[in-house]
Amino acid sequence: QPSIALPNVGGSNSAAGEDVRISVRDLTVAFGSFVLMRNVSFDVRVGDIFMVMGGSGCGKSTLLRVLMGLKEPQQGQVCYNGENFWQGTEESRSRIMRNTGVLFQGGALWSSMTLADNDGRPLQQYTDLTDEEIRDQASLKLALAGLAGFEDYYPSEISGGMRKRAGLARALALDPQILFLDEPSAGLDPVSSRLL
């Protein structure tokens, strides 16, 4: 059975450290009787850029799904700022996830919404900002991602690299403490990948 082991970046006692943002201990993830990963442990500290690398199908995206609350592990702990994610209530998991942003592999943009509407959706859902303030914030995040002037374009009207950057702008909408990027450079040319 294939498994994945990630390095414990901070050592065995680092989970108690104040600068540890995410702590994963003895994580096991399976689909039925097929164990995808076993006893995975690592820490991600404030300011870290932490990458998970491996071949196709080894469990990189599945690990992200566990960290984002989309798939419950069979055993182990995932803690955010010392708070056990999977042992908490649905409300506490939702609160924790509001401090994260996610860039999915394909961008995951709503095809019927403009880029500004896509990027403003989290603000509309989780803040009390006015429509004008939401539009301003969406424009700012799109500009940060190199898409100034594309606010009124639809995903079908822009390139794959631009869709990826629009997804990044949406992931940044709520100024998250943690940013999850699932294969951020997949399908991009080297110049676009470097810019992203």
Side-chain angles (χ1 to χ4, degrees):
Q1 296 174 337
S3 63
I4 180 173
L6 301 176
N8 182 346
V9 179
S12 60
N13 295 325
S14 64
E18 289 181 21
D19 65 339
V20 174
R21 189 71 76 198
I22 304 172
S23 178
V24 173
R25 291 290 173 268
D26 302 319
L27 194 70
T28 296
V29 180
F31 292 95
S33 62
F34 177 74
V35 177
L36 187 59
M37 61 190 78
R38 183 188 322 268
N39 299 324
V40 174
S41 296
F42 60 89
D43 291 332
V44 181
R45 291 181 157 65
V46 174
D48 278 357
I49 297 175
F50 187 89
M51 291 189 283
V52 178
M53 297 176 71
S56 180
C58 74
K60 302 178 303 290
S61 294
T62 301
L63 176 61
L64 276 181
R65 291 181 51 154
V66 170
L67 295 176
M68 295 183 300
L70 300 175
K71 176 166 179 50
E72 189 169 357
Q74 277 55 43
Q75 76 177 48
Q77 291 185 348
V78 176
C79 296
Y80 287 88
N81 298 316
E83 185 176 351
N84 192 314
F85 182 74
W86 283 105
Q87 288 183 358
T89 64
E90 187 174 330
E91 291 79 22
S92 70
R93 285 195 296 273
S94 180
R95 176 182 41 78
I96 290 169
M97 285 297 98
R98 275 197 295 275
N99 289 316
T100 68
V102 181
L103 172 59
F104 295 98
Q105 282 184 31
L109 299 172
W110 295 96
S111 61
S112 61
M113 298 170 71
T114 66
L115 299 187
D117 290 339
N118 266 286
D119 291 354
R121 186 74 176 123
L123 295 167
Q124 187 179 44
Q125 190 170 1
Y126 295 111
T127 71
D128 294 326
L129 296 175
T130 67
D131 289 344
E132 184 178 340
E133 291 169 328
I134 289 172
R135 173 76 181 198
D136 289 344
Q137 285 297 309
S139 294
L140 171 65
K141 298 304 171 139
L142 286 166
L144 289 173
L147 293 172
F150 286 90
E151 293 84 358
D152 295 321
Y153 281 68
Y154 287 88
S156 62
E157 299 175 320
I158 59 175
S159 71
M162 293 170 81
R163 281 193 293 275
K164 188 83 79 164
R165 286 187 276 152
L168 177 60
R170 186 185 56 203
L172 294 171
L174 295 171
D175 296 320
Q177 294 178 349
I178 299 167
L179 189 59
F180 292 112
L181 309 170
D182 192 2
E183 296 193 25
S185 61
L188 298 181
D189 62 88
V191 174
S192 297
S193 180
R194 192 169 29 258
L195 284 172
L196 181 65

